[in-house]
Amino acid sequence: MTTSSPHVIFITMDELRKDALSCYGNKAIETPHLDKLASESIRFDKAYAVSPWCLPSRSAILTGQYPHQSGAYSNFRKCELSADIPNLFGTFREGGYRTAVFGKCHFSPVPYSQTRPEVTLAYEAFRDYYLKLGIDHLDLQDDKQVSVWFYDDYAKELDAAGYLEAYRQEVWNEKANGKVFKFPGPPEWHPDSWVGRKAVQYIESYAEDQPMFAWVSFSGPHFPFDAPEPYLERVDMSKDTPRKWKADEFDDKRRIHHGSYHGPGGIEGSGAAADQACKNHSETYWQNLRRSYYANISQIDDAIGMILESVYRKFGDNALIIVTADHGEMLGNHGLWGKNNCAYEDVLNVPLLVQYPGERQGSATDAKVMLTDIMATCIKTAGLMEKKTVGRDFRESIHAGGYPYVFAEGEGFACVSDGRHKYVHVQKNGQQTCEMFDLAHDPYEYANIVDDPAYSAILSDLRGQLLNLYMNKVLA
């Protein structure tokens, strides 16, 4: 199989913090395969997710459009991504590529209300919908919990191997385990090992006379925190960075995460806590959670190492390789875990490594970019017909010095940052809550300065930037 067009290998991890990788400073684990890629790629230090939720962020990546433009803005409402909107799969298929996905899609809201602890439900309608977006080959593992709730491709194989029932029991046992448990099966049957294995098998056997676009989409380290036992042994928690939090941070009831911390809260970590209050998680709980999270990342790093080895052996340097996350995770900072309604850097500032075809020179940049740049970058590198997006090629962004403002949004949520100042607006049940931070003076984002008159001009500018963003849609 030969082709002059570059193959595109796009790898994502779900809910991955930037500083959880050793190439971004983590000391508790080593991620040698991603470290090596980072040393031969462009490492972005200011790459931003477009939403703190999976579906809006993934849909923005896939289309190069903001959630309010594509209509795919919520994990919870029926607002699945329309196949009529140009996306990466369809664009690459039109351009002569064969498209493949291994792992998580989540371009349609999960019907959470239908889930039952005693049964794994049919999922064929979702699989059929994903294929209609332009996917030629799909090995579907549509989130760890989804594979317990619904019979996707991974669940079918896990069931045949005899481990689905035990996994389902652990996932549903949230009140007892707090969503922290050891994977109840051999490591090779963990969702992330399965995804990595499927990707390697496909790449190694690829013989089509056309270039490949492959999205390898790991569900981890997204909760539940379920690393297999052998990977837990790789974590040295004595080298972990202490959690960044203040006991009185959310005493003001007007704070967005007052309920998340004091209860009853809506962030994911509240559901696993006594009285739905993250403050009730013990320090032992936080240590176990973080250890499992890091161990899962070590596991995924192994899988990525095998994938990259296959890519280089099969395609040489004729590949564009992008590695990133759809969003991050609080992981105990601010006394929270999860990402719901989070505009903190923990969640929005994600890792991003980009290796262009034929280039192995490592570099780092602090130019602000957004994940909506991924579609434009892939299309331009492959030489395909340009599609209208809000993004641009990553190298163009670097040359321009990055974006002056970055945005994030979702259902009832909007955020804008100029790199130093950040404004967040959350609207729920008819009530609105606003926060603003100065990252230069308050890098951990503890102090809400939205009412500080010294920042009134900056606040006005940031609100104006959000207004302009949405007016472009309203008056289009």
Side-chain angles (χ1 to χ4, degrees):
M1 188 279 298
T2 59
T3 175
S4 59
S5 299
H7 302 276
V8 178
I9 310 299
F10 179 44
I11 302 173
T12 57
M13 285 156 276
D14 194 341
E15 210 152 310
L16 174 69
R17 290 179 62 91
K18 186 179 73 173
D19 62 7
L21 304 179
S22 50
C23 55
Y24 280 102
N26 190 10
K27 303 298 184 185
I29 56 166
E30 295 181 355
T31 49
H33 304 293
L34 284 166
D35 290 359
K36 186 175 187 301
L37 179 65
S39 72
E40 300 175 343
S41 305
I42 304 172
R43 190 195 74 206
F44 290 82
D45 293 331
K46 295 294 182 181
Y48 284 88
V50 184
S51 180
W53 290 279
C54 298
L55 186 150
S57 181
R58 289 169 177 273
S59 297
I61 289 170
L62 188 61
T63 63
Q65 303 287 340
Y66 290 117
H68 77 271
Q69 295 172 316
S70 70
Y73 65 90
S74 173
N75 271 16
F76 313 105
R77 295 182 183 271
K78 187 63 175 174
C79 58
E80 67 186 19
L81 184 64
S82 171
D84 295 331
I85 298 174
N87 67 57
L88 280 166
F89 304 133
T91 299
F92 273 85
R93 179 190 273 180
E94 291 169 4
Y97 278 68
R98 182 166 175 80
T99 62
V101 174
F102 311 93
K104 182 170 179 173
C105 289
H106 200 177
F107 306 123
S108 180
V110 176
Y112 299 104
S113 63
Q114 297 179 19
T115 60
R116 299 289 182 271
E118 71 279 1
V119 66
T120 299
L121 303 169
Y123 209 55
E124 291 306 310
F126 281 81
R127 194 180 197 284
D128 292 343
Y129 156 71
Y130 293 145
L131 291 172
K132 289 178 181 178
L133 292 175
I135 302 172
D136 294 315
H137 176 91
L138 175 59
D139 289 313
L140 183 61
Q141 193 281 300
D142 213 15
D143 180 81
K144 297 174 183 178
Q145 295 177 129
V146 169
S147 292
V148 161
W149 297 331
F150 298 97
Y151 220 46
D152 60 16
D153 297 338
Y154 165 73
K156 292 175 183 177
E157 293 192 18
L158 189 68
D159 194 17
Y163 304 111
L164 177 60
E165 178 62 27
Y167 198 23
R168 184 165 60 223
Q169 289 181 10
E170 288 287 6
V171 168
W172 278 99
N173 200 21
E174 173 184 318
K175 289 300 181 185
N177 61 34
K179 291 191 180 292
V180 183
F181 56 85
K182 297 173 186 175
F183 179 70
E188 62 268 23
W189 278 106
H190 185 277
D192 296 319
S193 294
W194 184 88
V195 168
R197 182 166 66 250
K198 289 293 183 179
V200 169
Q201 290 172 351
Y202 186 83
I203 293 168
E204 289 288 354
S205 64
Y206 194 73
E208 302 292 334
D209 189 23
Q210 59 188 133
M212 171 200 302
F213 173 86
W215 187 340
V216 186
S217 180
F218 293 98
S219 288
H222 187 291
F223 63 88
F225 305 94
D226 62 348
E229 174 92 41
Y231 290 97
L232 293 168
E233 298 170 2
R234 295 188 183 184
V235 184
D236 185 350
M237 289 301 290
S238 70
K239 297 180 180 179
D240 187 23
T241 303
R243 293 188 298 124
K244 306 296 190 300
W245 68 289
K246 292 177 65 177
D248 63 350
E249 179 183 358
F250 300 115
D251 286 355
D252 186 342
K253 292 183 178 181
R254 296 174 298 173
R255 294 298 300 273
I256 292 170
H257 287 286
H258 171 82
S260 299
Y261 186 73
H262 290 287
I267 201 169
E268 293 85 349
S270 296
D275 300 322
Q276 292 183 271
C278 280
K279 69 179 181 181
N280 290 329
H281 288 311
S282 69
E283 194 56 42
T284 298
Y285 175 85
W286 286 120
Q287 290 295 303
N288 290 336
L289 182 152
R290 291 168 72 93
R291 184 185 181 208
S292 185
Y293 181 85
Y294 293 145
N296 193 181
I297 293 169
S298 180
Q299 175 188 10
I300 296 170
D301 183 70
D302 277 357
I304 289 175
M306 291 185 288
I307 292 167
L308 295 178
E309 182 182 353
S310 294
V311 168
Y312 293 137
R313 181 170 57 248
K314 192 83 174 185
F315 308 134
D317 284 337
N318 190 30
L320 168 67
I321 299 171
I322 301 175
V323 177
T324 190
D326 56 356
H327 52 72
E329 155 67 47
M330 294 305 297
L331 206 68
N333 286 350
H334 298 269
L336 311 171
W337 72 254
K339 77 283 183 181
N340 187 30
N341 275 329
C342 287
Y344 298 110
E345 294 291 287
D346 308 70
V347 169
L348 297 183
N349 183 198
V350 294
L352 174 64
L353 307 176
V354 180
Q355 184 178 90
Y356 283 91
E359 298 183 9
R360 294 288 187 98
Q361 286 295 112
S363 64
T365 177
D366 61 0
K368 294 195 299 297
V369 299
M370 290 183 283
L371 299 191
T372 40
D373 288 340
I374 288 171
M375 184 170 179
T377 299
C378 292
I379 289 173
K380 183 172 183 177
T381 304
L384 303 184
M385 184 177 296
E386 184 177 348
K387 299 289 185 179
K388 183 179 180 181
T389 73
V390 298
R392 61 192 178 195
D393 176 68
F394 284 125
R395 284 187 290 204
E396 293 179 17
S397 281
I398 293 172
H399 181 73
Y403 293 106
Y405 301 92
V406 292
F407 301 92
E409 57 184 43
E411 183 176 354
F413 173 95
C415 171
V416 56
S417 173
D418 63 9
R420 171 175 172 174
H421 307 98
K422 181 186 298 181
Y423 172 70
V424 194
H425 185 111
V426 172
Q427 192 154 318
K428 185 177 180 180
N429 299 326
Q431 295 184 331
Q432 66 179 35
T433 308
C434 304
E435 294 182 354
M436 183 176 170
F437 303 99
D438 182 341
L439 275 68
H441 293 151
D442 178 28
Y444 301 126
E445 302 172 269
Y446 292 137
N448 179 18
I449 56 172
V450 74
D451 294 325
D452 188 334
Y455 289 91
S456 60
I458 298 169
L459 174 62
S460 178
D461 174 60
L462 294 178
R463 282 175 165 165
Q465 295 299 327
L466 275 181
L467 179 61
N468 290 339
L469 178 72
Y470 295 123
M471 289 300 284
N472 287 333
K473 170 67 175 179
V474 172
L475 299 180

